[in-house]
Amino acid sequence: MPPELTESCASADEARECGATAVAHPNIALIKYWGKRDEELLIPYVDSLSMTLDVFPTTTTVRLTPTAEGDSVTLDGSPAVDGERERVVAFLNLVRTMAGRAEPAVVNTRNSVPTGAGLASSASGFAALALAGASAYGLDLDPTALSRLARRGSASASRSIFGGFAICHAGRGTGAEADLSAYAEPVAVADFAPALVIAVVNAGPKAVSSRAAMRRTVDTSPLYQAWAASSAVDLADMRVALRRGDLDAVGEIAERNALGMHATMLAARPPVRYFAPETMAVLDTVARLRADGFSAYATMDAGPNVKVLCHLGDTARIAAEIRRAVPDGTAVIAGPGAGARLRPRAEP
Ligand code: 2P0
């Protein structure tokens, strides 16, 4: 179901009363986005494909404050710090330019996922901000345009506009052509019940931001171009596997794509290494589960946490094995979740 922009405020007078609250979920890429060919427009080098989760929602309210001096940004109850605030304000400036409006806004965001830990908080965060911001400033965007807008906050956010599985097109050309052609859309899949067991081995912020890590990888890793080429093959194979509902094929392709992405980072100069000892313990557990006959496959993002793709019916056993391997960590079970949604106005 496409998101509906039910709340909007078309005039400055109306804007005083006007606000919008949106909820979005993170997504985990089964075919990864890594590297940008345009850092201002956030245009990826490669297509990516993800599953939106049904856990860790971000809830964001945007309320216009015509008499305020500037924007006010609160993240989990505290004023957003420098870099975070700048990113949100830059995004609001983009929304205001698109809407032909100038009023400042109050932005209030609550994340239920640890921020900056490779658990896709920027995906849910900018998907929710795009939807709430577009609505508050009276922009009437279809899902494709909303996905393109979310991409300007964080490229992975373009995928969280949609529920279930979504592909993000890297687009073609440069400038306006690239901007128009880089967006996400839903992907057709068979009727099957995949799940992810998310092994949170370290919920602290990552040492190197994904933005800096991608840049260094593209600029210095001799393996980057080879991975990007193989990722196009992985994507084509993944689409076939999803259409068939073949979880083992989906898992094998996702695992090789993720480990290949990390190989590009390990070969960067200086290297970027997100693996921790606990990461290896979970990867060993996944290998052992597979040897015991379970369908269990690992994928990892810009952090030490591991997401294990498996059948919904196996999640309790796999989560128990992960907890045994990493007693200080946690294991969260996730299934496919909904796309970004506006909350009815009566709710807080
Ligand atoms: C992904 N990741 O496809 C990949 C795999 C991490 C590893 O998208 O710079 O927060 O804001 O576009 O989207 C994380 O990077 O980066 C990411 P920006 P983003 O999910």
Side-chain angles (χ1 to χ4, degrees):
M1 287 276 288
E4 291 169 18
L5 301 182
T6 51
E7 293 180 298
S8 67
C9 34
S11 71
D13 282 347
E14 230 184 288
R16 278 178 191 81
E17 299 299 318
C18 198
T21 297
V23 180
H25 291 82
N27 68 77
I28 297 301
L30 303 177
I31 301 293
K32 304 295 186 186
Y33 143 60
W34 195 250
K36 297 177 186 61
R37 58 195 182 86
D38 183 322
E39 293 212 347
E40 199 197 321
L41 294 172
L42 273 57
I43 308 289
Y45 264 111
V46 291
D47 297 337
S48 56
L49 190 153
S50 62
M51 184 176 103
T52 299
L53 306 183
D54 61 357
V55 297
F56 298 146
T58 295
T59 305
T60 296
T61 299
V62 177
R63 195 172 298 281
L64 306 197
T65 50
T67 55
E69 299 258 309
D71 297 317
S72 158
V73 182
T74 304
L75 180 59
D76 291 327
S78 305
V81 293
D82 296 350
E84 290 164 344
R85 185 177 187 283
E86 275 168 29
R87 237 173 123 177
V88 171
V89 170
F91 191 83
L92 291 174
N93 286 338
L94 177 65
V95 174
R96 284 187 281 255
T97 302
M98 288 170 71
R101 306 275 290 259
E103 306 95 314
V106 170
V107 177
N108 205 325
T109 289
R110 289 207 172 266
N111 267 328
S112 55
V113 56
T115 303
L119 290 169
S121 59
S122 70
S124 54
F126 279 101
L129 182 61
L131 182 51
S135 178
Y137 282 99
L139 277 175
D140 188 14
L141 302 181
D142 65 19
T144 301
L146 191 60
S147 175
R148 290 172 49 230
L149 173 62
R151 190 204 76 231
R152 297 289 297 272
S154 197
S156 55
S158 64
R159 303 183 308 236
S160 275
I161 296 299
F162 303 98
F165 293 81
I167 182 170
C168 177
H169 302 286
R172 55 185 180 277
T174 58
E177 187 189 12
D179 183 36
L180 272 173
S181 55
Y183 58 86
E185 63 183 342
V187 165
V189 302
D191 188 15
F192 74 137
L196 286 169
V197 178
I198 303 172
V200 185
V201 303
N202 183 344
K206 62 193 93 171
V208 186
S209 75
S210 51
R211 211 158 263 204
M214 289 185 204
R215 186 180 305 136
R216 192 189 301 169
T217 306
V218 171
D219 289 348
T220 71
S221 175
L223 304 190
Y224 182 73
Q225 293 301 336
W227 173 77
S230 72
S231 200
V233 178
D234 289 346
L235 177 68
D237 292 349
M238 179 62 83
R239 294 191 77 152
V240 172
L242 285 170
R243 271 201 302 275
R244 287 191 183 139
D246 182 343
L247 188 97
D248 289 293
V250 169
E252 275 176 25
I253 300 161
E255 192 172 285
R256 77 185 185 213
N257 186 266
L259 292 178
M261 176 189 73
H262 282 276
T264 69
M265 292 182 227
L266 290 169
R269 295 159 194 190
V272 180
R273 176 176 63 85
Y274 287 118
F275 291 75
E278 297 83 0
T279 310
M280 293 313 217
V282 178
L283 294 179
D284 282 347
T285 301
V286 169
R288 206 183 57 248
L289 282 162
R290 218 147 64 206
D292 288 347
F294 286 91
S295 296
Y297 301 89
T299 184
M300 290 174 57
D301 298 291
N305 305 307
V306 183
K307 295 90 182 181
V308 182
L309 185 80
C310 61
H311 291 291
L312 192 56
D314 291 338
T315 50
R317 169 71 192 276
I318 288 170
E321 292 294 327
I322 289 170
R323 288 188 193 109
R324 202 196 324 260
V326 186
D328 291 338
T330 53
V332 178
I333 294 167
R341 285 282 179 283
L342 283 170
R343 274 212 182 150
R345 193 179 285 195
E347 290 185 36

